[in-house]
Structures are given as structure tokens and as C-alpha cells.
Amino acid sequence: MLFRGGEQLENAYKTTAVVFDKTGTVTYGAPEVTRVFSVTGSPDDIQDMFILSAAVERLSEHPVAGAVTRAAAYRYPSALPPCVDDFRSAAGQGVSGLVAGREVICGNRSMLSAAGVDLSPLEALPDVRDAAETEVCVAREGVLLGVMGVADRIKPEAPAAVEKLKKLGIEVWLLTGDNGRTAAAIGSQAGIELVMSEVPPEKKAEKIKELQAHGKRVCMVGDGINDAPALSAADTSIAMGGGTDVAIDASDVLLPGGNIDGVPLALYISRATMRVIKSNLLWALLYNIVCIPMAACGIINPSIASAAMSFSSIAVMMNSLRLKHMGEKKKLRSHAKKGEAAQV
Ligand code: ADP
Ligand code: MG
């Protein structure tokens, strides 16, 4: 774990709320297409859905787009991707483009309904959102072809990291552009009850400011994909190592391996450091306030007072070294909990 500097280490201890971005932070951000349903049930429509959506998604950098293009290449390896004109990407919603002159839209419900696509056929299909999957609807020429379920695994350390934050008395939120049902399902897997869903990328920073307006000191954890403004709006920002360069450059704390167990640890280290700094001040002050006036009044020998001053520096150093010891004890405890042989 890397802190940008001393100021960031001092700031983090005031955190009262942690906001996690969903994709790429609580989840791996490497989703896969797990299910596909066409409105008509015809295999030809399924093939069209994959080939058309992959043609458009190939031009998007979103993790969902990667899932769709990989699934299409796996199912139809010999199909040549058709050319796309007029490609458009609606951040936090989906993509669209002209494939052989016909308009194809892949995205969430709000994107398709804004384009005038009738979504009522979805009622007859299984709802992928209840299984914590992201829903990708595909339409051709304004007509819904079907829907894909894109599943992203949550990181195994997420529930324990959330639990530790709650034990530190910190409020934990999940922030996502995904729909409410998928967000709630992912939240419940991670133990996060407070969920802000269907928040487009440009509104994520506003949500952080709303929490701040309620008197909270907010720490935002994200990977920089569609959440960079929220990271910069937060009082403390923690970026995933595998995230975007912008997020890494602008973050206060970097978790190189993307392990979110580093979030409670970073806040714990910051709190412990501040406790030590405050007790160091007290020690140094006590020595100087008590011994120097006593020496000045002739109550003690000035050489004893000067020895006490030197001792105050040693006490401060010893007290600070306890931090290293705390880190080792914590490491031992977490190894013991995992049932691993404790090797330090
Ligand atoms: P998150 O907040 O979870 O990181 P985003 O804000 O990046 O998610 O995206 C929100 C939602 O927008 C996604 O869950 C998905 O439904 C939809 N979406 C975004 N990009 C695409 C895309 N390229 N193709 C299909 N759907 C997309
Ligand atoms: Mg994201």
C-alpha cells in the first residue's frame, strides 16, 4: 500500500464514510456473459445479437464491452466482425452504432427506452438483474432483440473488508451506474446495505458532495473508470493498482494489487499514526514544560533537564517504533484467522 505523503496519511484518519465503486473495485471488473435470451427464442436472433453487439462493443473500453466481444468471438470464431459507422458511447449506459447501415444499440434499460425501444417483451424473459448480473439489452433498428446477463465476481476479501470498516465505526456505501437490483444484489454479497445505484459517471462526484454536505468525511475507493471525478471530490481517494493512470496519479493512497482489504488497513494505519503523533507531542511537551522551568528555578540541575530533553527524543522514537510492531501484530492476527502458518 502506498500513501502519497504525510499529509494524506494524516487526513485519512478523519474518514467517517467509505464509498466503494462497484465495477473493478468491489468486483474484479472482468465480467463474463453468462446468459442470453432472445425475444423470439430463435437461434438466429441469438447469433445476430452476439455479432451485432460485438461489432459495436469492440469500439468501447468498458469491462462489459470486453465480456460481450469475448463471448461472441468464442461462440462464433469464424464470423468476421462487420464494420461500424457513427459509433457512440453513452458513459454509464451503453453504446450504439450503424452496422451495415442499420442502427444497433447495446446498453441498459434507460438507454434503450430513451431511444424509443419498446421494452415490454423483457417481462416475458428471465430477469438477470436479480442474480447480481448486469443487464445488456440489444436492439436493432429500434426493435429489442434480446438481453444478455453479464456477471462479474465480487472480490473474495470484500465482505471481510466491509466488516472491518463497520467495526471502525465507518459507514460503508456502494456507488454504481448499474441498475438498482444488480447493485443491491452485489451489495448484499459484500455486506453493504447503503447503495447508490443508476448514478451516471458525471453525477458520482455530486453524490460524494451530498455526503460531505451531511457532515461526513468521505473516502472514495475506485479504479478510475467512470469514477475519476468522484475520486477527486472525496476527502481521501484510494485507487486500485490495475485502474486508470489518471486515478493512480490523482489518488492519496494506492492499493497496487487491488486488494480492498487494504482500505480498512490504510484507515487503521492512519488512525494509529495520528494517535502516536499526539502522544509524542504530549511526551515532548511534558519533558520540556516540567524540566526546563524547574531547571530555570534551580530546583533541578540543568544537566538533568538537558538529559531529560534528550530522553524525550528517545521516548518519541520508541513510541513511534510501536507502529511497526502494531503492523506486525495485525499481520500475525490476520494470518492466524485465515488458518495460515504465521511466518513473520
Ligand atoms: P459502475 O458504476 O458499476 O462502474 P458504469 O457507470 O461504468 O458502472 O456503467 C453503468 C452501467 O452502464 C453498466 O452496469 C451497464 O449496464 C451500462 N454500460 C456501460 N457501458 C456499457 C457498454 N459498453 N455496453 C453495455 N452496457 C454498458
Ligand atoms: Mg467503475
Side-chain angles (χ1 to χ4, degrees), residues 86-144:
D86 201 17
F87 169 78
R88 280 171 210 206
S89 169
Q93 290 205 305
V95 288
S96 64
L98 293 176
V99 181
R102 301 167 90 185
E103 192 190 37
V104 174
I105 310 175
C106 310
N108 58 18
R109 291 188 187 211
S110 61
M111 180 171 185
L112 272 79
S113 60
V117 178
D118 175 20
L119 296 178
S120 58
L122 284 176
E123 280 158 33
L125 302 177
D127 196 330
V128 298
R129 297 172 302 174
D130 292 331
E133 291 179 1
T134 296
E135 187 180 59
V136 178
C137 306
V138 184
R140 180 178 52 197
E141 293 284 77
V143 178
L144 184 72

Short mmCIF file of all heavy atoms in Angstrom, two decimals, residues 86-144:
data_model
loop_
_atom_site.label_atom_id
_atom_site.label_comp_id
_atom_site.label_asym_id
_atom_site.label_seq_id
_atom_site.Cartn_x
_atom_site.Cartn_y
_atom_site.Cartn_z
N ASP A 86 -20.62 5.70 -37.28
CA ASP A 86 -21.33 6.55 -36.33
C ASP A 86 -21.38 5.93 -34.92
O ASP A 86 -22.43 5.92 -34.27
CB ASP A 86 -22.76 6.81 -36.85
CG ASP A 86 -23.35 8.06 -36.21
OD1 ASP A 86 -22.57 8.85 -35.66
OD2 ASP A 86 -24.58 8.21 -36.23
N PHE A 87 -20.23 5.41 -34.47
CA PHE A 87 -20.17 4.80 -33.12
C PHE A 87 -20.38 5.88 -32.06
O PHE A 87 -19.82 6.97 -32.14
CB PHE A 87 -18.81 4.12 -32.92
CG PHE A 87 -18.58 3.72 -31.49
CD1 PHE A 87 -19.18 2.57 -30.98
CD2 PHE A 87 -17.77 4.48 -30.65
CE1 PHE A 87 -18.98 2.20 -29.66
CE2 PHE A 87 -17.56 4.11 -29.33
CZ PHE A 87 -18.17 2.96 -28.83
N ARG A 88 -21.24 5.56 -31.08
CA ARG A 88 -21.43 6.49 -29.95
C ARG A 88 -21.38 5.72 -28.65
O ARG A 88 -21.89 4.60 -28.58
CB ARG A 88 -22.80 7.16 -30.03
CG ARG A 88 -22.77 8.29 -31.01
CD ARG A 88 -24.16 8.81 -31.26
NE ARG A 88 -24.19 9.31 -32.62
CZ ARG A 88 -25.01 10.24 -33.02
NH1 ARG A 88 -25.86 10.74 -32.19
NH2 ARG A 88 -24.98 10.65 -34.27
N SER A 89 -20.77 6.36 -27.65
CA SER A 89 -20.71 5.73 -26.35
C SER A 89 -21.39 6.66 -25.35
O SER A 89 -21.04 7.82 -25.25
CB SER A 89 -19.24 5.51 -25.98
OG SER A 89 -19.16 5.14 -24.63
N ALA A 90 -22.41 6.13 -24.66
CA ALA A 90 -23.09 6.92 -23.62
C ALA A 90 -22.53 6.43 -22.29
O ALA A 90 -22.85 5.32 -21.87
CB ALA A 90 -24.59 6.71 -23.69
N ALA A 91 -21.66 7.26 -21.66
CA ALA A 91 -20.97 6.80 -20.45
C ALA A 91 -21.97 6.35 -19.39
O ALA A 91 -22.96 7.01 -19.13
CB ALA A 91 -20.10 7.93 -19.91
N GLY A 92 -21.70 5.18 -18.83
CA GLY A 92 -22.56 4.64 -17.77
C GLY A 92 -23.90 4.16 -18.28
O GLY A 92 -24.83 3.93 -17.51
N GLN A 93 -24.03 3.97 -19.61
CA GLN A 93 -25.30 3.49 -20.17
C GLN A 93 -25.12 2.40 -21.21
O GLN A 93 -25.72 1.34 -21.12
CB GLN A 93 -26.06 4.65 -20.80
CG GLN A 93 -26.60 5.63 -19.78
CD GLN A 93 -27.80 6.36 -20.33
OE1 GLN A 93 -27.71 6.97 -21.40
NE2 GLN A 93 -28.90 6.32 -19.61
N GLY A 94 -24.26 2.67 -22.22
CA GLY A 94 -24.06 1.68 -23.27
C GLY A 94 -23.49 2.30 -24.53
O GLY A 94 -22.93 3.40 -24.48
N VAL A 95 -23.63 1.56 -25.63
CA VAL A 95 -23.05 2.03 -26.89
C VAL A 95 -24.05 1.86 -28.03
O VAL A 95 -24.99 1.07 -27.94
CB VAL A 95 -21.75 1.23 -27.24
CG1 VAL A 95 -20.61 1.60 -26.32
CG2 VAL A 95 -22.00 -0.27 -27.19
N SER A 96 -23.80 2.60 -29.13
CA SER A 96 -24.64 2.42 -30.32
C SER A 96 -23.80 2.68 -31.56
O SER A 96 -22.71 3.25 -31.47
CB SER A 96 -25.83 3.38 -30.27
OG SER A 96 -25.36 4.71 -30.33
N GLY A 97 -24.31 2.23 -32.71
CA GLY A 97 -23.59 2.46 -33.97
C GLY A 97 -24.39 1.90 -35.13
O GLY A 97 -25.39 1.18 -34.94
N LEU A 98 -23.94 2.25 -36.34
CA LEU A 98 -24.61 1.73 -37.54
C LEU A 98 -23.83 0.53 -38.06
O LEU A 98 -22.65 0.64 -38.37
CB LEU A 98 -24.66 2.80 -38.63
CG LEU A 98 -25.55 4.03 -38.36
CD1 LEU A 98 -25.41 5.03 -39.51
CD2 LEU A 98 -27.01 3.61 -38.18
N VAL A 99 -24.48 -0.63 -38.08
CA VAL A 99 -23.84 -1.85 -38.60
C VAL A 99 -24.54 -2.17 -39.92
O VAL A 99 -25.75 -2.44 -39.92
CB VAL A 99 -23.97 -3.03 -37.61
CG1 VAL A 99 -23.26 -4.26 -38.15
CG2 VAL A 99 -23.41 -2.65 -36.24
N ALA A 100 -23.78 -2.13 -41.01
CA ALA A 100 -24.33 -2.29 -42.36
C ALA A 100 -25.55 -1.37 -42.55
O ALA A 100 -26.60 -1.78 -43.06
CB ALA A 100 -24.71 -3.75 -42.61
N GLY A 101 -25.41 -0.15 -42.03
CA GLY A 101 -26.45 0.85 -42.23
C GLY A 101 -27.64 0.73 -41.28
O GLY A 101 -28.56 1.54 -41.33
N ARG A 102 -27.63 -0.29 -40.42
CA ARG A 102 -28.79 -0.45 -39.51
C ARG A 102 -28.34 -0.12 -38.08
O ARG A 102 -27.28 -0.59 -37.64
CB ARG A 102 -29.33 -1.88 -39.58
CG ARG A 102 -29.76 -2.22 -40.98
CD ARG A 102 -30.00 -3.70 -41.11
NE ARG A 102 -31.38 -4.03 -40.79
CZ ARG A 102 -31.85 -5.26 -40.73
NH1 ARG A 102 -31.05 -6.28 -40.91
NH2 ARG A 102 -33.11 -5.50 -40.45
N GLU A 103 -29.17 0.62 -37.37
CA GLU A 103 -28.76 1.08 -36.04
C GLU A 103 -28.83 -0.04 -34.99
O GLU A 103 -29.84 -0.73 -34.86
CB GLU A 103 -29.63 2.25 -35.58
CG GLU A 103 -28.98 2.88 -34.36
CD GLU A 103 -29.83 3.89 -33.65
OE1 GLU A 103 -31.05 3.71 -33.56
OE2 GLU A 103 -29.23 4.85 -33.14
N VAL A 104 -27.72 -0.21 -34.28
CA VAL A 104 -27.66 -1.21 -33.20
C VAL A 104 -27.39 -0.48 -31.89
O VAL A 104 -26.52 0.39 -31.83
CB VAL A 104 -26.53 -2.24 -33.47
CG1 VAL A 104 -26.37 -3.20 -32.29
CG2 VAL A 104 -26.80 -3.00 -34.75
N ILE A 105 -28.17 -0.82 -30.84
CA ILE A 105 -27.94 -0.22 -29.52
C ILE A 105 -27.73 -1.35 -28.51
O ILE A 105 -28.49 -2.33 -28.49
CB ILE A 105 -29.14 0.63 -29.03
CG1 ILE A 105 -29.60 1.61 -30.11
CG2 ILE A 105 -28.78 1.38 -27.75
CD1 ILE A 105 -30.85 2.39 -29.72
N CYS A 106 -26.67 -1.24 -27.70
CA CYS A 106 -26.43 -2.21 -26.61
C CYS A 106 -26.27 -1.39 -25.35
O CYS A 106 -25.37 -0.53 -25.29
CB CYS A 106 -25.13 -2.95 -26.74
SG CYS A 106 -24.85 -3.66 -28.29
N GLY A 107 -27.08 -1.67 -24.37
CA GLY A 107 -26.94 -0.90 -23.13
C GLY A 107 -27.99 -1.25 -22.12
O GLY A 107 -28.67 -2.28 -22.23
N ASN A 108 -28.12 -0.37 -21.11
CA ASN A 108 -29.10 -0.65 -20.07
C ASN A 108 -30.50 -0.17 -20.49
O ASN A 108 -30.66 0.44 -21.55
CB ASN A 108 -28.65 -0.06 -18.72
CG ASN A 108 -28.43 1.44 -18.80
OD1 ASN A 108 -28.91 2.10 -19.71
ND2 ASN A 108 -27.71 1.96 -17.83
N ARG A 109 -31.48 -0.47 -19.63
CA ARG A 109 -32.87 -0.14 -19.99
C ARG A 109 -33.06 1.33 -20.26
O ARG A 109 -33.78 1.71 -21.19
CB ARG A 109 -33.81 -0.58 -18.86
CG ARG A 109 -33.90 -2.08 -18.74
CD ARG A 109 -34.98 -2.50 -17.76
NE ARG A 109 -34.90 -3.95 -17.58
CZ ARG A 109 -35.92 -4.74 -17.33
NH1 ARG A 109 -37.13 -4.23 -17.19
NH2 ARG A 109 -35.76 -6.03 -17.19
N SER A 110 -32.42 2.20 -19.45
CA SER A 110 -32.71 3.63 -19.63
C SER A 110 -32.18 4.11 -20.98
O SER A 110 -32.80 4.96 -21.63
CB SER A 110 -32.17 4.46 -18.47
OG SER A 110 -30.80 4.32 -18.36
N MET A 111 -31.06 3.55 -21.45
CA MET A 111 -30.54 3.97 -22.76
C MET A 111 -31.50 3.56 -23.88
O MET A 111 -31.79 4.35 -24.78
CB MET A 111 -29.18 3.33 -23.00
CG MET A 111 -28.60 3.73 -24.34
SD MET A 111 -26.92 3.19 -24.52
CE MET A 111 -26.50 3.91 -26.09
N LEU A 112 -31.99 2.31 -23.79
CA LEU A 112 -32.88 1.83 -24.85
C LEU A 112 -34.22 2.55 -24.83
O LEU A 112 -34.76 2.90 -25.87
CB LEU A 112 -33.06 0.31 -24.77
CG LEU A 112 -31.97 -0.45 -25.55
CD1 LEU A 112 -30.67 -0.52 -24.77
CD2 LEU A 112 -32.44 -1.83 -25.97
N SER A 113 -34.77 2.78 -23.62
CA SER A 113 -36.08 3.44 -23.62
C SER A 113 -35.94 4.90 -24.06
O SER A 113 -36.86 5.43 -24.70
CB SER A 113 -36.82 3.28 -22.29
OG SER A 113 -36.08 3.82 -21.26
N ALA A 114 -34.78 5.54 -23.76
CA ALA A 114 -34.58 6.92 -24.24
C ALA A 114 -34.52 6.94 -25.76
O ALA A 114 -34.87 7.95 -26.40
CB ALA A 114 -33.30 7.48 -23.66
N ALA A 115 -34.11 5.81 -26.37
CA ALA A 115 -34.04 5.74 -27.84
C ALA A 115 -35.38 5.29 -28.44
O ALA A 115 -35.49 5.04 -29.64
CB ALA A 115 -32.93 4.79 -28.25
N GLY A 116 -36.39 5.14 -27.57
CA GLY A 116 -37.72 4.80 -28.05
C GLY A 116 -37.95 3.32 -28.28
O GLY A 116 -38.91 2.93 -28.96
N VAL A 117 -37.08 2.46 -27.72
CA VAL A 117 -37.26 1.00 -27.91
C VAL A 117 -38.31 0.49 -26.92
O VAL A 117 -38.27 0.84 -25.73
CB VAL A 117 -35.91 0.26 -27.69
CG1 VAL A 117 -36.08 -1.25 -27.83
CG2 VAL A 117 -34.85 0.78 -28.64
N ASP A 118 -39.24 -0.32 -27.43
CA ASP A 118 -40.28 -0.89 -26.56
C ASP A 118 -39.65 -2.03 -25.74
O ASP A 118 -39.18 -3.03 -26.30
CB ASP A 118 -41.43 -1.42 -27.44
CG ASP A 118 -42.48 -2.14 -26.62
OD1 ASP A 118 -42.53 -1.91 -25.38
OD2 ASP A 118 -43.24 -2.94 -27.21
N LEU A 119 -39.67 -1.86 -24.39
CA LEU A 119 -39.01 -2.86 -23.54
C LEU A 119 -39.99 -3.87 -22.96
O LEU A 119 -39.61 -4.73 -22.16
CB LEU A 119 -38.26 -2.16 -22.39
CG LEU A 119 -37.10 -1.25 -22.81
CD1 LEU A 119 -36.48 -0.58 -21.59
CD2 LEU A 119 -36.01 -2.04 -23.54
N SER A 120 -41.27 -3.78 -23.34
CA SER A 120 -42.26 -4.68 -22.72
C SER A 120 -41.97 -6.17 -22.96
O SER A 120 -42.27 -6.99 -22.09
CB SER A 120 -43.68 -4.32 -23.15
OG SER A 120 -43.77 -4.38 -24.54
N PRO A 121 -41.30 -6.57 -24.10
CA PRO A 121 -41.00 -8.01 -24.26
C PRO A 121 -40.10 -8.56 -23.15
O PRO A 121 -40.07 -9.77 -22.94
CB PRO A 121 -40.28 -8.08 -25.62
CG PRO A 121 -40.69 -6.87 -26.35
CD PRO A 121 -40.92 -5.81 -25.31
N LEU A 122 -39.38 -7.67 -22.42
CA LEU A 122 -38.49 -8.14 -21.35
C LEU A 122 -39.26 -8.84 -20.24
O LEU A 122 -38.72 -9.69 -19.54
CB LEU A 122 -37.71 -6.95 -20.74
CG LEU A 122 -36.55 -6.40 -21.55
CD1 LEU A 122 -35.95 -5.18 -20.87
CD2 LEU A 122 -35.46 -7.45 -21.73
N GLU A 123 -40.54 -8.45 -20.09
CA GLU A 123 -41.34 -9.05 -19.00
C GLU A 123 -41.49 -10.55 -19.16
O GLU A 123 -41.65 -11.27 -18.18
CB GLU A 123 -42.73 -8.39 -18.94
CG GLU A 123 -42.67 -7.05 -18.22
CD GLU A 123 -43.83 -6.16 -18.59
OE1 GLU A 123 -44.93 -6.67 -18.86
OE2 GLU A 123 -43.60 -4.93 -18.65
N ALA A 124 -41.44 -11.03 -20.40
CA ALA A 124 -41.61 -12.47 -20.64
C ALA A 124 -40.30 -13.23 -20.48
O ALA A 124 -40.27 -14.46 -20.52
CB ALA A 124 -42.15 -12.68 -22.06
N LEU A 125 -39.18 -12.50 -20.31
CA LEU A 125 -37.86 -13.15 -20.20
C LEU A 125 -37.40 -13.18 -18.74
O LEU A 125 -37.82 -12.35 -17.94
CB LEU A 125 -36.83 -12.38 -21.04
CG LEU A 125 -37.13 -12.23 -22.53
CD1 LEU A 125 -36.05 -11.37 -23.20
CD2 LEU A 125 -37.21 -13.58 -23.21
N PRO A 126 -36.52 -14.14 -18.38
CA PRO A 126 -36.00 -14.14 -17.01
C PRO A 126 -35.26 -12.84 -16.72
O PRO A 126 -34.64 -12.26 -17.62
CB PRO A 126 -35.01 -15.32 -17.01
CG PRO A 126 -35.39 -16.15 -18.18
CD PRO A 126 -35.98 -15.23 -19.20
N ASP A 127 -35.37 -12.36 -15.48
CA ASP A 127 -34.72 -11.10 -15.11
C ASP A 127 -33.32 -11.38 -14.57
O ASP A 127 -33.16 -11.87 -13.45
CB ASP A 127 -35.56 -10.36 -14.06
CG ASP A 127 -35.15 -8.90 -13.95
OD1 ASP A 127 -33.96 -8.60 -14.19
OD2 ASP A 127 -36.01 -8.07 -13.64
N VAL A 128 -32.29 -11.07 -15.38
CA VAL A 128 -30.91 -11.39 -15.00
C VAL A 128 -30.43 -10.53 -13.82
O VAL A 128 -29.50 -10.90 -13.11
CB VAL A 128 -29.92 -11.22 -16.18
CG1 VAL A 128 -30.27 -12.15 -17.31
CG2 VAL A 128 -29.87 -9.77 -16.65
N ARG A 129 -31.10 -9.39 -13.59
CA ARG A 129 -30.62 -8.45 -12.56
C ARG A 129 -30.74 -9.03 -11.15
O ARG A 129 -29.99 -8.66 -10.26
CB ARG A 129 -31.42 -7.14 -12.63
CG ARG A 129 -31.23 -6.43 -13.96
CD ARG A 129 -32.15 -5.27 -14.08
NE ARG A 129 -33.56 -5.67 -13.96
CZ ARG A 129 -34.57 -4.83 -13.93
NH1 ARG A 129 -34.34 -3.55 -13.99
NH2 ARG A 129 -35.80 -5.26 -13.83
N ASP A 130 -31.71 -9.93 -10.94
CA ASP A 130 -31.89 -10.50 -9.60
C ASP A 130 -30.73 -11.39 -9.19
O ASP A 130 -30.53 -11.66 -8.01
CB ASP A 130 -33.20 -11.29 -9.53
CG ASP A 130 -34.39 -10.34 -9.63
OD1 ASP A 130 -34.21 -9.18 -9.21
OD2 ASP A 130 -35.43 -10.75 -10.15
N ALA A 131 -29.97 -11.89 -10.19
CA ALA A 131 -28.85 -12.77 -9.87
C ALA A 131 -27.54 -11.97 -9.84
O ALA A 131 -26.47 -12.50 -10.14
CB ALA A 131 -28.75 -13.88 -10.91
N ALA A 132 -27.64 -10.69 -9.50
CA ALA A 132 -26.46 -9.80 -9.39
C ALA A 132 -25.75 -9.63 -10.72
O ALA A 132 -24.57 -9.31 -10.77
CB ALA A 132 -25.48 -10.31 -8.32
N GLU A 133 -26.47 -9.88 -11.84
CA GLU A 133 -25.85 -9.72 -13.16
C GLU A 133 -26.24 -8.38 -13.77
O GLU A 133 -27.34 -7.88 -13.55
CB GLU A 133 -26.31 -10.85 -14.09
CG GLU A 133 -25.73 -12.19 -13.66
CD GLU A 133 -26.19 -13.33 -14.54
OE1 GLU A 133 -26.94 -13.11 -15.50
OE2 GLU A 133 -25.80 -14.47 -14.25
N THR A 134 -25.32 -7.82 -14.55
CA THR A 134 -25.61 -6.59 -15.28
C THR A 134 -26.39 -6.96 -16.53
O THR A 134 -26.06 -7.94 -17.21
CB THR A 134 -24.28 -5.89 -15.65
OG1 THR A 134 -23.64 -5.52 -14.44
CG2 THR A 134 -24.50 -4.67 -16.52
N GLU A 135 -27.42 -6.16 -16.81
CA GLU A 135 -28.28 -6.47 -17.95
C GLU A 135 -27.83 -5.67 -19.17
O GLU A 135 -27.71 -4.44 -19.08
CB GLU A 135 -29.71 -6.07 -17.56
CG GLU A 135 -30.77 -6.46 -18.53
CD GLU A 135 -32.13 -6.00 -18.02
OE1 GLU A 135 -32.34 -4.80 -17.80
OE2 GLU A 135 -33.00 -6.86 -17.86
N VAL A 136 -27.56 -6.37 -20.27
CA VAL A 136 -27.23 -5.66 -21.52
C VAL A 136 -28.32 -5.97 -22.54
O VAL A 136 -28.47 -7.12 -22.97
CB VAL A 136 -25.85 -6.08 -22.07
CG1 VAL A 136 -25.55 -5.36 -23.39
CG2 VAL A 136 -24.75 -5.79 -21.07
N CYS A 137 -29.11 -4.95 -22.86
CA CYS A 137 -30.19 -5.14 -23.82
C CYS A 137 -29.66 -4.80 -25.21
O CYS A 137 -28.86 -3.87 -25.36
CB CYS A 137 -31.36 -4.23 -23.50
SG CYS A 137 -31.94 -4.40 -21.81
N VAL A 138 -30.10 -5.55 -26.21
CA VAL A 138 -29.63 -5.31 -27.58
C VAL A 138 -30.84 -5.02 -28.49
O VAL A 138 -31.81 -5.79 -28.50
CB VAL A 138 -28.86 -6.53 -28.14
CG1 VAL A 138 -28.28 -6.24 -29.52
CG2 VAL A 138 -27.76 -6.96 -27.17
N ALA A 139 -30.76 -3.91 -29.22
CA ALA A 139 -31.85 -3.56 -30.14
C ALA A 139 -31.28 -3.31 -31.52
O ALA A 139 -30.16 -2.80 -31.67
CB ALA A 139 -32.58 -2.32 -29.65
N ARG A 140 -32.09 -3.69 -32.57
CA ARG A 140 -31.69 -3.41 -33.96
C ARG A 140 -32.81 -2.61 -34.61
O ARG A 140 -33.99 -3.02 -34.51
CB ARG A 140 -31.47 -4.73 -34.70
CG ARG A 140 -31.06 -4.54 -36.16
CD ARG A 140 -30.81 -5.87 -36.85
NE ARG A 140 -31.95 -6.77 -36.68
CZ ARG A 140 -31.89 -8.08 -36.89
NH1 ARG A 140 -30.77 -8.66 -37.25
NH2 ARG A 140 -32.96 -8.84 -36.72
N GLU A 141 -32.47 -1.50 -35.22
CA GLU A 141 -33.47 -0.63 -35.85
C GLU A 141 -34.65 -0.33 -34.92
O GLU A 141 -35.82 -0.44 -35.31
CB GLU A 141 -33.99 -1.30 -37.13
CG GLU A 141 -32.97 -1.42 -38.23
CD GLU A 141 -32.69 -0.11 -38.96
OE1 GLU A 141 -31.97 0.73 -38.39
OE2 GLU A 141 -33.20 0.06 -40.06
N GLY A 142 -34.33 -0.06 -33.63
CA GLY A 142 -35.38 0.33 -32.68
C GLY A 142 -36.22 -0.80 -32.14
O GLY A 142 -37.21 -0.58 -31.45
N VAL A 143 -35.85 -2.08 -32.50
CA VAL A 143 -36.64 -3.22 -32.01
C VAL A 143 -35.75 -4.08 -31.11
O VAL A 143 -34.62 -4.43 -31.48
CB VAL A 143 -37.16 -4.08 -33.19
CG1 VAL A 143 -37.92 -5.30 -32.68
CG2 VAL A 143 -38.03 -3.24 -34.10
N LEU A 144 -36.28 -4.41 -29.92
CA LEU A 144 -35.50 -5.20 -28.96
C LEU A 144 -35.28 -6.62 -29.48
O LEU A 144 -36.24 -7.33 -29.83
CB LEU A 144 -36.25 -5.25 -27.62
CG LEU A 144 -35.51 -5.95 -26.49
CD1 LEU A 144 -34.35 -5.10 -26.00
CD2 LEU A 144 -36.46 -6.25 -25.34
#
